[in-house]
Amino acid sequence: MPKVLVIDDDPAVRTFLAKSLQGQDYEVIVASDGKTGLDMARSLRPGLIICDWLMPGMDGLSVCRHIKADPAMTTTFFILLSARGEVEDRVKGLDTGADDFLAKPVDFSELRARVRAGLRLHQVSEDLHLQKQILETELHEAADYVRSLLPATLNDKVLIDSRFLPSRQLGGDCFDYFWLDPDFLVMYLLDVSGHGLGAALPSISVLNVLRSQSLPDVNFYQPHAVLKALNETFQMNDQNEKYFTIWYGVYNRTRRQLMYSSGGHPPAILITPTNGQLQVSRLRTPNLPIGMLSEAEFSSDRQTVPPNSILYIFSDGVYETFDYENQQQFDEIWGLDAFVELLLTHSPKGNLDDVLQDIQAMRGKITFPDDLSLLKIEFP
């Protein structure tokens, strides 16, 4: 049974309000001052509060501020009781957080109608709040599942470390790396358009297809062949208008050669020590994102990987210059070029946590408007 709390310093008004509301499908509780009423509200969590504006000590506006600032009472409906009828007074009350007004002297029928309406809104808010909690719990569980699919750090012949920071509980980024045979290592990172569950589901589907090597008649040693098969399988018309970008590479450790192909994805950055200096190579092929055009063709390229080289593969959330959440541009100094310079400052001995901390410092944010994935592959 919902509770209705009446707060008024006038005994006659308290009695009138309490008796007027008796016999309804809710419990009526009364308090004689603002401080007592606030304490009772915090203890009993009423669905609706009727509070007088003018009271000695803590007045109705102060009670309202405290109620609306309490996360435990965000759905409590607050009716401000006042003899003030001016528009500016009502505006002040609404700005404070009051949901409704009752004018003195209180009309019996209006009182009951306002309370019934307020409790209906309270129940709707409670139901929405519960559904939100259930959804958030399910999203956290789904996010844990996605993270469980990502590969562990690799310390076998090459060293691979990774970080994944979704913009929400779920993201459209995904990556993997595994040995096709003792000499060939495959590595890839993909980024599905959009965010949330709608982006995470196709991302997981692609990961499972590549991990199981279930694309028919595809040579997984040939990056362009893999991208072509993915493009035929995951056309956006059949994927709820979702497309994705991908960087896919295969490393031959005996020849120290990397074959790679990218579909609309940012270039991988290879940092190589040469004559005491660090040389940067941007590894990218001019291919379309996966799913946009069914007849698209894809190409691969090759890169020799000298000893002690480091390869970074990442999604564009690392250096995104536009804040989609606030619809504004980030500082002009940030972008891909600035990110590459940052990688140089952390090579060869810097770790990914240091890189992320610097990105957060430069962007002035702990979280990001887009998913962020980053791989670091060291070739001894």
Side-chain angles (χ1 to χ4, degrees):
M1 178 181 293
K3 296 180 177 65
V4 174
L5 173 62
V6 174
I7 308 173
D8 201 300
D9 64 316
D10 188 329
V13 175
R14 283 201 311 275
T15 302
F16 169 77
L17 293 174
K19 288 187 175 181
S20 298
L21 297 173
Q22 286 177 351
Q24 307 298 303
D25 294 328
Y26 38 81
E27 178 184 355
V28 181
I29 310 153
V30 297
S32 59
D33 61 80
K35 177 65 169 61
T36 302
L38 181 59
D39 291 340
M40 293 177 67
R42 287 170 171 166
S43 173
L44 301 174
R45 308 282 176 80
L48 184 143
I49 296 174
I50 303 173
C51 184
D52 190 21
W53 185 324
L54 296 178
M55 294 184 295
M58 181 178 287
D59 65 8
L61 291 183
S62 297
V63 175
C64 184
R65 289 192 191 96
H66 283 88
I67 294 295
K68 294 302 181 180
D70 190 334
M73 290 186 283
T74 55
T75 63
T76 298
F77 197 86
F78 197 97
I79 298 177
L80 201 58
L81 185 64
S82 175
R84 299 182 174 187
E86 300 297 328
V87 173
E88 55 267 25
D89 292 326
R90 290 178 175 270
V91 170
K92 184 177 181 181
L94 291 171
D95 286 343
T96 302
D99 300 296
D100 202 355
F101 281 88
L102 269 174
K104 289 183 178 181
V106 178
D107 179 79
F108 173 82
S109 299
E110 183 183 13
L111 169 66
R112 286 194 166 189
R114 295 289 182 91
V115 170
R116 286 195 298 269
L119 287 174
R120 285 197 300 270
L121 289 173
H122 163 70
Q123 188 58 53
V124 170
S125 297
E126 282 282 278
D127 293 343
L128 289 174
H129 186 66
L130 178 60
Q131 291 300 317
K132 180 175 180 289
Q133 289 179 323
I134 293 173
L135 179 60
E136 287 178 347
T137 298
E138 292 177 348
L139 286 174
H140 280 299
E141 291 174 353
D144 290 339
Y145 171 70
V146 172
R147 288 189 179 91
S148 73
L149 295 176
L150 299 178
T153 298
L154 184 65
N155 292 299
D156 178 26
K157 304 167 189 173
V158 299
L159 309 177
I160 303 182
D161 197 10
S162 63
R163 296 293 183 273
F164 170 60
L165 300 177
S167 60
R168 303 178 184 178
Q169 291 94 336
L170 287 175
D173 287 7
C174 212
F175 55 82
D176 201 3
Y177 37 84
F178 52 87
W179 291 95
L180 289 170
D181 64 38
D183 290 329
F184 287 84
L185 174 71
V186 63
M187 61 200 81
Y188 66 85
L189 191 152
L190 64 97
D191 182 3
V192 177
S193 59
H195 309 291
L197 188 60
L201 292 178
S203 178
I204 294 171
S205 296
V206 176
L207 181 143
N208 287 331
V209 164
L210 292 177
R211 183 172 289 179
S212 62
Q213 300 179 44
S214 58
L215 292 169
D217 303 320
V218 173
N219 184 348
F220 284 86
Y221 293 81
Q222 299 294 326
H224 63 279
V226 174
L227 266 60
K228 181 176 176 59
L230 288 174
N231 187 65
E232 294 170 350
T233 305
F234 292 94
Q235 277 296 299
M236 61 185 297
N237 293 337
D238 302 322
Q239 302 295 325
N240 197 26
E241 300 304 310
K242 294 293 184 183
Y243 64 89
F244 63 91
T245 67
I246 186 171
W247 193 97
Y248 183 99
V250 179
Y251 175 63
N252 183 335
R253 72 181 186 92
T254 57
R255 295 184 178 180
R256 302 196 67 91
Q257 191 172 76
L258 176 66
M259 180 177 286
Y260 62 91
S261 184
S262 60
H265 203 79
I269 303 300
L270 182 67
I271 298 178
T272 303
T274 304
N275 300 323
Q277 295 183 339
L278 295 178
Q279 178 180 334
V280 175
S281 300
R282 302 190 183 197
L283 309 185
R284 186 178 191 175
T285 56
N287 300 318
L288 290 173
I290 305 301
M292 280 193 166
L293 192 64
S294 59
E295 60 269 25
E297 295 295 328
F298 296 88
S299 60
S300 296
D301 206 344
R302 297 175 185 271
Q303 174 71 40
T304 299
V305 181
N308 302 316
S309 296
I310 300 175
L311 181 70
Y312 291 96
I313 311 172
F314 45 88
S315 59
D316 61 5
V318 171
Y319 64 88
E320 189 72 72
T321 60
F322 191 78
D323 185 346
Y324 293 96
E325 179 181 351
N326 298 309
Q327 291 296 300
Q328 64 184 17
Q329 201 75 15
F330 284 118
D331 193 313
E332 293 181 358
I333 65 169
W334 192 239
L336 178 58
D337 292 339
F339 176 60
V340 172
E341 290 299 320
L342 178 63
L343 293 179
L344 284 171
T345 65
H346 287 281
S347 297
K349 295 184 178 180
N351 59 55
L352 293 185
D353 289 331
D354 293 335
V355 173
L356 291 179
Q357 286 178 6
D358 280 356
I359 294 174
Q360 289 167 340
M362 295 175 73
R363 296 272 286 269
K365 286 189 171 222
I366 301 300
T367 58
F368 300 94
D370 196 5
D371 306 324
L372 186 157
S373 296
L374 179 60
L375 300 181
K376 179 183 180 182
I377 301 101
E378 299 181 59
F379 301 93

